Structures are given as C-alpha cells and as structure tokens.
Amino acid sequence: MFQLSDCERQQLVATLNLLTMHDIGSCRVVLDDLKSLRLFEASIKDHRQNQILRVLDYVEIPRISGYRAVHIVLKTQPSGLPVEVQLRTQSMHEWAETSEGFSKDLGRNFKQDGDHPVQEFLAVVADIYFLTDMKKPVSHDLQKRYSETLSEARRSIYVLRAAQGVQQELPLDERI
C-alpha cells in the first residue's frame, strides 16, 4: 500500500474535484495489435466527435516511464460528466499490469516517470513490447540495454524484497 505524507495527503484532497476528474468513470479496451487500436480510436472519433473533451496519445508520445495507451475523455449524456476510455494493445496492457503489480507489492509507483532501476528496466521493456507491436526487430543496442537494466532492477528488487518480503517477479518473455 502507498504511504502518503500529511503534506501529500492535503495536496491530494485539495486537487480532488469530481467535476474535473477524467478517470472517475472509465473503461479500458485491450486490443490485439496497434492497427486494431488505431481503428477503434478512429471509430470513437467518428461516432462520438461532439462528445470528445480530450485525447491523450501516449502511443505517439509515450511517457518517460514507458507507459503507452490512448486516453479519450468523453462527455457523458445527459450529465455531461467526463468518462475516460483507455485503449491499449495486449502488450501495453501487460506492461501496465506488471508495473502496477510492482508498485503495489513494493510500495512505490513505478508506472509514473522516474529514475529508479525498476522504472528504467520497465521503460526498456516497454520499448521492446512496442517494437513487437510494430512488428519491428529489437536492435542489438536495445537488447544490451535490456540486459544491463535487468541486472540493476534485480539488485534493487532484491533489496526491496529483503526489506518487505515481496515475491513479485520481473517480466521476461520470448519477445526479448
């Protein structure tokens, strides 16, 4: 569980306004590949054009953390309250679920931008997953970065596990 300081808690309460939050109501659509994601995105834009409040394309411009998705904020009927639709490929979803698992188990928000070794490793994994979504080969340099960041992440997780008794594993699969 995340621990907030009193100052962080006060800042959070001060910024929580249900009328301005875009993800109080949301849904997530996980699609097979990037082409399907873009087709689904286009369909929403075509059929709900007058309801779109904002589009955040973290596929085109990913977060430093490696997070990728398309977020479309729609105005609901009849209330006009915003609802966020998140579009991800299966790889993007696996990455987000893995980073959220580490965050929950280790008590740090690894999905956000940062320079912790686990975050650096997850950013490399996100790049590899994206290349596979694009059906492009993983370069030798990226494979080398993967190995280097994996070693650092393992060391950091070992320390965190020793302190907290956590059993979360690093994502490893045949794409890498």
Side-chain angles (χ1 to χ4, degrees):
M1 173 162 273
F2 293 112
Q3 299 293 324
L4 297 175
S5 69
D6 288 337
C7 181
E8 290 170 323
R9 193 175 297 109
Q10 289 172 353
Q11 288 175 338
L12 181 63
V13 169
T15 60
L16 290 179
N17 179 340
L18 294 180
L19 296 175
T20 60
M21 291 181 74
H22 292 153
D23 59 1
I24 190 107
S26 66
C27 70
R28 181 174 301 138
V29 181
V30 179
L31 299 136
D32 289 335
D33 54 38
L34 197 52
K35 181 179 179 184
S36 299
L37 183 148
R38 291 302 187 191
L39 287 171
F40 197 88
E41 175 188 8
S43 178
I44 293 173
K45 288 178 176 178
D46 287 346
H47 293 92
R48 304 283 181 220
Q49 185 175 12
N50 62 340
Q51 292 176 267
I52 295 175
L53 298 173
R54 180 170 61 165
V55 176
L56 297 170
D57 190 337
Y58 296 115
V59 175
E60 185 71 28
I61 303 172
R63 304 245 349 207
I64 293 168
S65 67
Y67 177 78
R68 286 180 170 87
V70 174
H71 294 199
I72 302 172
V73 180
L74 300 167
K75 180 173 49 173
T76 59
Q77 301 298 330
S79 68
L81 291 175
V83 171
E84 182 178 82
V85 178
Q86 292 182 6
L87 308 178
R88 296 178 180 169
T89 65
Q90 185 62 42
S91 293
M92 292 170 193
H93 184 64
E94 288 172 19
W95 182 92
E97 292 292 308
T98 299
S99 67
E100 288 169 4
F102 278 116
S103 297
K104 179 181 177 237
D105 291 341
L106 299 174
R108 296 184 68 147
N109 191 347
F110 293 118
K111 193 171 165 186
Q112 295 300 316
D113 299 336
D115 59 2
H116 188 277
V118 172
Q119 289 167 305
E120 291 176 5
F121 171 72
L122 288 170
V124 172
V125 170
D127 288 344
I128 291 169
Y129 281 10
F130 185 67
L131 286 172
T132 60
D133 276 348
M134 298 287 293
K135 304 196 183 334
K136 293 184 177 181
V138 177
S139 71
H140 178 71
D141 288 344
L142 191 54
Q143 289 176 22
K144 183 178 176 189
R145 280 186 45 223
Y146 172 83
S147 296
E148 292 166 353
T149 59
L150 174 61
S151 294
E152 289 298 316
R154 279 186 171 147
R155 278 191 281 273
S156 294
I157 287 175
Y158 179 80
V159 170
L160 291 170
R161 279 187 183 154
Q164 300 177 8
V166 173
Q167 298 301 314
Q168 177 73 24
E169 291 295 325
L170 290 170
L172 302 171
D173 74 34
E174 67 281 353
R175 290 177 279 197
I176 300 167

